[in-house]
Amino acid sequence: MAAAARARVTHLLRHLQSTACQCPTHSHTYSQAPGPSGKTADYAFEMAVSNIRYGAGVTKEVGMDLQNMGAKNVCLMTDKNLSQLPPVQIVMDSLSKNGISFQVYDDVRVEPTDGSFMDAIEFAKKGAFDAYVAVGGGSTMDTCKAANLYASSPHSEFLDYVNAPIGKGKPVTVPLKPLIAVPTTSGTGSETTGVAIFDYEHLKVKTGIASRAIKPTLGLVDPLHTLHMPCQVVANSGFDVLCHALESYTAIPYSMRSPCPSNPIQRPAYQGSNPISDIWAVHALQIVAKYLKRAVRNPDDLEARSKMHLASAFAGIGFGNAGVHLCHGMSYPISGLVKTYKAKEYNVDHPLVPHGLSVVLTSPAVFTFTAQMFPERHLETAGILGANIRTARIQDAGLVLADALRKFLFDLNVDDGLAALGYSKDDIPSLVKGTLPQERVTKLAPRAQSEEDLSALFEASMKLY
Amino acid sequence: MAAAARARVTHLLRHLQSTACQCPTHSHTYSQAPGPSGKTADYAFEMAVSNIRYGAGVTKEVGMDLQNMGAKNVCLMTDKNLSQLPPVQIVMDSLSKNGISFQVYDDVRVEPTDGSFMDAIEFAKKGAFDAYVAVGGGSTMDTCKAANLYASSPHSEFLDYVNAPIGKGKPVTVPLKPLIAVPTTSGTGSETTGVAIFDYEHLKVKTGIASRAIKPTLGLVDPLHTLHMPCQVVANSGFDVLCHALESYTAIPYSMRSPCPSNPIQRPAYQGSNPISDIWAVHALQIVAKYLKRAVRNPDDLEARSKMHLASAFAGIGFGNAGVHLCHGMSYPISGLVKTYKAKEYNVDHPLVPHGLSVVLTSPAVFTFTAQMFPERHLETAGILGANIRTARIQDAGLVLADALRKFLFDLNVDDGLAALGYSKDDIPSLVKGTLPQERVTKLAPRAQSEEDLSALFEASMKLY
Ligand SMILES: [Zn+2]
Ligand SMILES: [Zn+2]
Ligand SMILES: [Zn+2]
Ligand SMILES: [Zn+2]
């Protein structure tokens, strides 16, 4: 990192930290705080989590689990890349060995859409399955959750359960079939959450379904699947874990989120930080700080890759019950508007910004911006990431965390900001426009954002080093 | 604490720490380690946990939850002491307001027996309920779990699901009805666990049912119920939390527990310490260290009592997935053989040693004994409890932890050891005999125990200060 470049980035970030819009609409820095009545904020939080079974080789137990559940006709979902590889083979062997009939659906789309969800849903409806197994990354697990939901609720319209305002956000009251998730990447934590993300093609916007009811029954977290993952995949998945942990830990507290639901079924999964999600976020972050670099650099480092597989689940429990905010909200246009960037080591024939990369590149700017609300938490996480915080001033918390993040990314040879993905200043209005519909997550940020704020955050993320 | 008494106790403990039986049967200090083949130890662990909703006043949501579940005919279980008090009243109001029919069973016995379980089971079978609500302490929640289980499995014999060797320890494969647990004490953590403890009268021994399948669907952790609890009840419940945390954190690791189950349904809930239970144990312990004294001393300290209510659930998740060991194994004869001791501030007409007191009084001796196996963990917990561990020698870990525990108990004015409960040296053989059947938990201790070891542990627990 050249000294001059570093000075320029620091200047941009410092500006970001100190700006506070003084117009009438934005003179409150905390748009989510309870209103004058003080009565509408929530007073409770709920932790819901899949059962998690962890161990090297645990995948081979899946057939017995399904037999114990009494399943006779199982849907196995995966993608074309994985369908001939060991994780899927081990699952099929275990099913056969335990006499479980199954059908394979391997048309899962990486970065699923409403169209690809519908295709999987049709398959599920026709099959009349009594249980599901999802083997793959977040895309596969999310597709399988959607298939299970709509096959269990055959008279629902697709938009019924999709997050408002795009969908109707109806609560799920139908009983679902058991779903066992076998994650093969260490990033999304989708095996623990009740969230399924997809691109709504009509509006070209990322949205999802979020309900505790769709979380997997059981996550089989088998670190053997993480060996021999390409280094870039490990790195980007790890950045997703990093942002899940940082965002859920710095999200507004549940007791400042409003409105308070009138029925507990309306309490969102993304309910703000709380004493339980905090624990998972901090522990996930500690593992990332200690093991991610090792996991990236050595495909055979079973210890490091095992720890990251567990960290992915930990962070999933955290953000699945607290939510994410700006890095994720801003990431959707970053991946959606991709022009020519092709991620190295990803087996794809079209431009692609991996999810983990799209969330982490804005993180230095985002946390510089949000730190004024909970500076202690920002400083604490900087310390976990290796910054010397003993002599740091609390008002520099955001800059200290941003510096720690930039150093972390630089050490891992990460592309130098959004410019390296092919974005320039001219793209900022579109990027901002693409972020605005992500209010469901961006409103969980500890500091409210104007459009000008979002522009400044994208601008400060163009170059990192 | 007089200096002479302290020196004597320290001498006893030091002896305990250094003894190592050299006879052929006991020359291994770690009976649970894998045998020469190294093949039988487990390689995986599973975390299962009830959904937990936490908040002051959250009890009033219960009627809506049951309505959301489609329940129409609910069984409300509680005990006679509580049945006229606010927690039960709030639940009944919420059920009525949401149009849910219910029947009340308030014959739960404090310290339930197979007989009292059977009575509740009969009630449940007759009622043909479609959901359960348990309002009370561990006794009520455990009774309700048993009622739900056997009413859902009407052709089973009572001993079918009881832990081996007393019962048959059959795995639960029948589907149960939803159970919502509303804890009114801050100790057992039973709202999070799949464990139901009772006295098997015929053999005069404490045993239970342990299966992930019987854990509550939802725990409503409402700190308002902990206000105005008598101080002694708060203290003793807190000691239970303390021991759940310490025992689960120092239990043998899951990867040293044998045999490895041939089917995942046989993997016990008490599976040994693991990276997930460790997190819950440590966080529960931190809360105990920071808030228990305040919670005991001031019935109106909502913050301290709220934190302890959460710590009880945290420790429950920890020990519910890892197990407890010697303090709990030895506690059952301590409470079972009670002669005349009547706990202060407990509304009972018969001699009673509260569970939390019966587990904590042996803790200084127990951890002095076990520390040689995982001294770092013992020292770490001593540090959390306030000991200065910077200058401590690792070989003194057990003594340092024992000292921290004795100081903690002394500060809270706890009875001076088993002698204060009316026990003397002459009772030790009976106490040892009563511990032997508790192998299900005692074998999770990190160090194997001979009968002589158990005698020495009881002897060292006669006086603490
Ligand atoms: Zn403005
Ligand atoms: Zn993510
Ligand atoms: Zn011996
Ligand atoms: Zn206990």
Side-chain angles (χ1 to χ4, degrees):
Chain A
M1 227 184 296
R6 191 180 172 111
R8 195 186 45 77
V9 173
T10 302
H11 175 79
L12 267 172
L13 293 179
R14 195 172 288 278
H15 187 70
L16 206 53
Q17 181 178 41
S18 56
T19 50
C21 179
Q22 296 303 327
C23 80
T25 2
H26 295 114
S27 59
H28 55 295
T29 51
Y30 208 115
S31 70
Q32 292 80 9
S37 75
K39 275 179 187 151
T40 59
D42 206 342
Y43 70 101
F45 69 89
E46 179 164 342
M47 180 192 66
V49 57
S50 309
N51 284 6
I52 295 294
R53 190 185 306 148
Y54 173 89
V58 82
T59 308
K60 66 175 183 295
E61 297 184 357
V62 68
M64 286 183 279
D65 285 309
L66 288 162
Q67 202 180 49
N68 295 337
M69 292 168 182
K72 291 181 168 48
N73 176 28
V74 169
C75 176
L76 169 54
M77 288 207 169
T78 189
D79 64 44
K80 286 268 184 320
N81 282 330
L82 268 171
S83 60
Q84 306 305 321
L85 296 180
V88 172
Q89 294 301 325
I90 293 166
V91 168
M92 292 201 292
D93 286 353
S94 178
L95 294 174
S96 303
K97 216 167 142 186
N98 289 279
I100 311 257
S101 301
F102 63 95
Q103 290 179 50
V104 177
Y105 177 87
D106 65 0
D107 280 333
V108 166
R109 188 188 142 100
V110 178
E111 304 290 313
T113 63
D114 49 330
S116 75
F117 268 17
M118 288 304 304
D119 190 65
I121 292 164
E122 280 313 304
F123 184 86
K125 282 183 173 173
K126 271 190 207 133
F129 301 107
D130 54 14
Y132 294 81
V133 181
V135 185
S139 301
T140 300
M141 294 186 273
D142 289 5
T143 301
C144 198
K145 291 173 193 174
N148 186 7
L149 171 62
Y150 289 97
S152 303
S153 186
H155 301 300
S156 296
E157 300 287 327
F158 182 70
L159 286 179
D160 282 356
Y161 294 122
V162 172
N163 294 326
I166 290 160
K168 295 187 193 155
K170 280 193 191 170
V172 177
T173 53
V174 294
L176 271 64
K177 302 296 182 189
L179 189 169
I180 300 182
V182 186
T184 58
T185 59
S186 305
T188 67
S190 186
E191 67 277 13
T192 72
T193 74
V195 178
I197 302 288
F198 66 94
D199 287 310
Y200 188 54
E201 291 177 300
H202 182 60
L203 298 179
K204 284 192 195 280
V205 65
K206 198 72 100 168
T207 184
I209 301 161
S211 165
R212 292 176 186 90
I214 67 169
K215 70 177 160 41
T217 318
L218 174 65
L220 291 178
V221 182
D222 185 342
L224 295 185
H225 301 322
T226 68
L227 293 176
H228 312 294
M229 239 200 289
C231 297
Q232 289 302 320
V233 178
V234 175
N236 290 324
S237 313
F239 298 148
D240 197 20
V241 177
L242 173 67
C243 287
H244 291 159
L246 287 173
E247 290 173 68
S248 60
Y249 194 55
T250 57
I252 59 162
Y254 72 97
S255 55
M256 289 181 168
R257 193 200 75 252
S258 57
C260 181
S262 58
N263 183 312
I265 207 170
Q266 287 149 3
R267 188 168 283 122
Y270 285 6
Q271 59 199 321
S273 65
N274 59 69
I276 293 185
S277 64
D278 288 350
I279 290 174
W280 295 107
V282 167
H283 283 269
L285 192 64
Q286 286 169 340
I287 298 176
V288 169
K290 190 165 176 189
Y291 293 102
L292 180 57
K293 288 180 190 171
R294 270 175 54 186
V296 170
R297 287 168 185 161
N298 184 353
D300 297 317
D301 188 336
L302 182 60
E303 186 193 6
R305 292 198 167 195
S306 295
K307 296 280 186 186
M308 282 305 303
H309 214 35
L310 203 52
S312 171
F314 284 8
I317 302 173
F319 92 84
N321 289 287
V324 283
H325 57 79
L326 281 171
C327 298
H328 272 73
M330 294 167 63
S331 80
Y332 299 129
I334 293 172
S335 51
L337 301 174
V338 59
K339 298 164 190 177
T340 56
Y341 183 83
K342 272 193 199 171
K344 280 159 274 180
E345 302 190 25
Y346 282 73
N347 183 19
V348 285
D349 55 5
H350 53 272
L352 174 81
V353 182
H355 172 68
L357 185 63
S358 73
V359 292
V360 85
L361 289 180
T362 59
S363 65
V366 161
F367 296 110
T368 306
F369 175 74
T370 56
Q372 66 177 230
M373 289 312 297
F374 300 110
E376 296 80 6
R377 287 190 171 218
H378 286 72
L379 205 54
E380 180 189 355
T381 56
I384 295 171
L385 288 172
N388 175 4
I389 59 168
R390 280 190 312 136
T391 54
R393 296 183 315 164
I394 190 74
Q395 59 267 45
D396 288 335
L399 291 172
V400 174
L401 175 54
D403 237 36
L405 286 165
R406 287 157 57 217
K407 185 170 181 320
F408 198 81
L409 299 180
F410 185 80
D411 288 350
L412 280 167
N413 220 358
V414 172
D415 289 308
D416 187 7
L418 300 180
L421 305 189
Y423 289 109
S424 73
K425 260 194 142 173
D426 298 342
D427 299 306
I428 291 181
S430 322
L431 290 167
V432 170
K433 197 166 157 245
T435 305
L436 296 177
Q438 301 303 331
E439 214 202 356
R440 194 178 67 91
V441 292
T442 56
K443 75 177 183 196
L444 289 171
R447 185 177 165 190
Q449 325 94 45
S450 62
E451 294 191 28
E452 310 92 83
D453 291 334
L454 291 173
S455 293
L457 288 168
F458 281 114
E459 189 177 345
S461 304
M462 284 293 163
K463 284 188 74 67
L464 297 182
Y465 313 126
Chain B
M1 224 183 299
R6 194 180 170 113
R8 194 186 46 77
V9 172
T10 302
H11 175 81
L12 266 172
L13 292 179
R14 194 173 288 280
H15 188 71
L16 206 54
Q17 181 178 40
S18 56
T19 50
C21 179
Q22 298 301 330
C23 77
T25 3
H26 296 116
S27 60
H28 57 295
T29 51
Y30 208 115
S31 70
Q32 292 80 10
S37 76
K39 276 182 190 150
T40 58
D42 206 342
Y43 69 102
F45 67 89
E46 180 163 343
M47 179 191 66
V49 56
S50 310
N51 284 7
I52 295 295
R53 191 183 306 148
Y54 172 89
V58 82
T59 308
K60 68 175 180 295
E61 298 184 356
V62 68
M64 286 183 280
D65 285 310
L66 288 162
Q67 201 181 49
N68 294 337
M69 292 167 180
K72 291 182 169 43
N73 176 28
V74 170
C75 176
L76 169 55
M77 290 208 166
T78 189
D79 64 42
K80 286 269 187 318
N81 282 331
L82 269 170
S83 60
Q84 306 305 321
L85 295 180
V88 172
Q89 294 301 325
I90 293 166
V91 168
M92 294 202 291
D93 286 353
S94 178
L95 294 173
S96 302
K97 216 167 142 185
N98 289 281
I100 311 254
S101 300
F102 63 96
Q103 289 180 51
V104 177
Y105 178 87
D106 66 0
D107 279 334
V108 167
R109 188 187 142 103
V110 177
E111 304 290 314
T113 63
D114 49 329
S116 76
F117 267 18
M118 289 304 304
D119 190 64
I121 292 164
E122 280 314 305
F123 184 85
K125 284 183 171 172
K126 271 190 207 134
F129 301 107
D130 54 16
Y132 294 80
V133 180
V135 184
S139 302
T140 300
M141 293 185 274
D142 289 5
T143 301
C144 198
K145 290 174 194 173
N148 187 8
L149 171 61
Y150 289 97
S152 303
S153 186
H155 301 299
S156 297
E157 301 286 327
F158 182 70
L159 286 179
D160 282 355
Y161 294 122
V162 172
N163 294 324
I166 290 162
K168 294 186 195 157
K170 282 195 190 167
V172 177
T173 54
V174 294
L176 271 65
K177 301 297 182 189
L179 189 170
I180 299 181
V182 185
T184 57
T185 60
S186 305
T188 65
S190 186
E191 68 277 12
T192 72
T193 74
V195 179
I197 302 288
F198 66 94
D199 287 309
Y200 189 54
E201 291 177 305
H202 182 61
L203 298 179
K204 281 187 195 284
V205 66
K206 199 70 98 166
T207 183
I209 301 162
S211 165
R212 292 177 186 90
I214 67 169
K215 71 176 160 40
T217 318
L218 175 64
L220 291 178
V221 182
D222 185 341
L224 294 185
H225 301 323
T226 67
L227 294 176
H228 313 294
M229 240 201 286
C231 297
Q232 290 301 319
V233 177
V234 175
N236 289 325
S237 313
F239 298 147
D240 197 19
V241 177
L242 173 67
C243 287
H244 291 160
L246 287 173
E247 289 173 68
S248 59
Y249 194 56
T250 57
I252 59 161
Y254 73 96
S255 55
M256 289 183 169
R257 192 199 76 250
S258 57
C260 181
S262 58
N263 183 313
I265 207 170
Q266 286 149 2
R267 188 166 283 122
Y270 284 7
Q271 58 199 322
S273 64
N274 59 70
I276 293 187
S277 65
D278 287 349
I279 289 174
W280 294 107
V282 166
H283 283 269
L285 192 63
Q286 286 169 339
I287 298 175
V288 169
K290 190 163 176 192
Y291 293 101
L292 180 57
K293 287 180 189 172
R294 270 176 53 186
V296 170
R297 288 168 184 159
N298 185 355
D300 296 317
D301 187 336
L302 181 61
E303 186 193 5
R305 292 199 166 192
S306 295
K307 296 279 187 188
M308 282 304 303
H309 214 35
L310 203 52
S312 171
F314 284 9
I317 300 173
F319 92 84
N321 289 288
V324 283
H325 58 81
L326 281 171
C327 297
H328 272 74
M330 294 168 62
S331 80
Y332 299 128
I334 294 172
S335 51
L337 300 173
V338 59
K339 297 165 190 175
T340 57
Y341 183 83
K342 271 193 199 169
K344 281 160 274 178
E345 302 189 27
Y346 282 71
N347 183 19
V348 285
D349 55 6
H350 53 272
L352 173 80
V353 182
H355 172 67
L357 185 64
S358 73
V359 292
V360 85
L361 289 179
T362 59
S363 66
V366 161
F367 295 110
T368 307
F369 174 75
T370 56
Q372 66 176 231
M373 289 312 298
F374 299 109
E376 296 80 5
R377 288 191 171 219
H378 287 72
L379 205 55
E380 180 190 355
T381 56
I384 294 172
L385 288 171
N388 176 3
I389 58 168
R390 281 191 310 136
T391 53
R393 298 184 314 165
I394 191 75
Q395 59 267 47
D396 288 335
L399 291 172
V400 174
L401 176 53
D403 238 36
L405 286 166
R406 287 157 58 218
K407 184 169 180 321
F408 199 80
L409 299 180
F410 186 80
D411 288 350
L412 279 167
N413 220 358
V414 172
D415 289 305
D416 187 6
L418 300 180
L421 306 188
Y423 288 109
S424 72
K425 263 195 141 170
D426 298 343
D427 299 306
I428 291 180
S430 324
L431 289 167
V432 170
K433 196 165 157 246
T435 304
L436 297 177
Q438 300 305 330
E439 213 201 359
R440 193 177 67 90
V441 292
T442 56
K443 74 177 183 198
L444 289 171
R447 184 176 165 190
Q449 324 94 44
S450 63
E451 293 192 30
E452 312 91 81
D453 291 333
L454 291 173
S455 292
L457 288 168
F458 281 114
E459 189 178 345
S461 305
M462 285 292 164
K463 283 188 76 65
L464 299 182
Y465 311 126

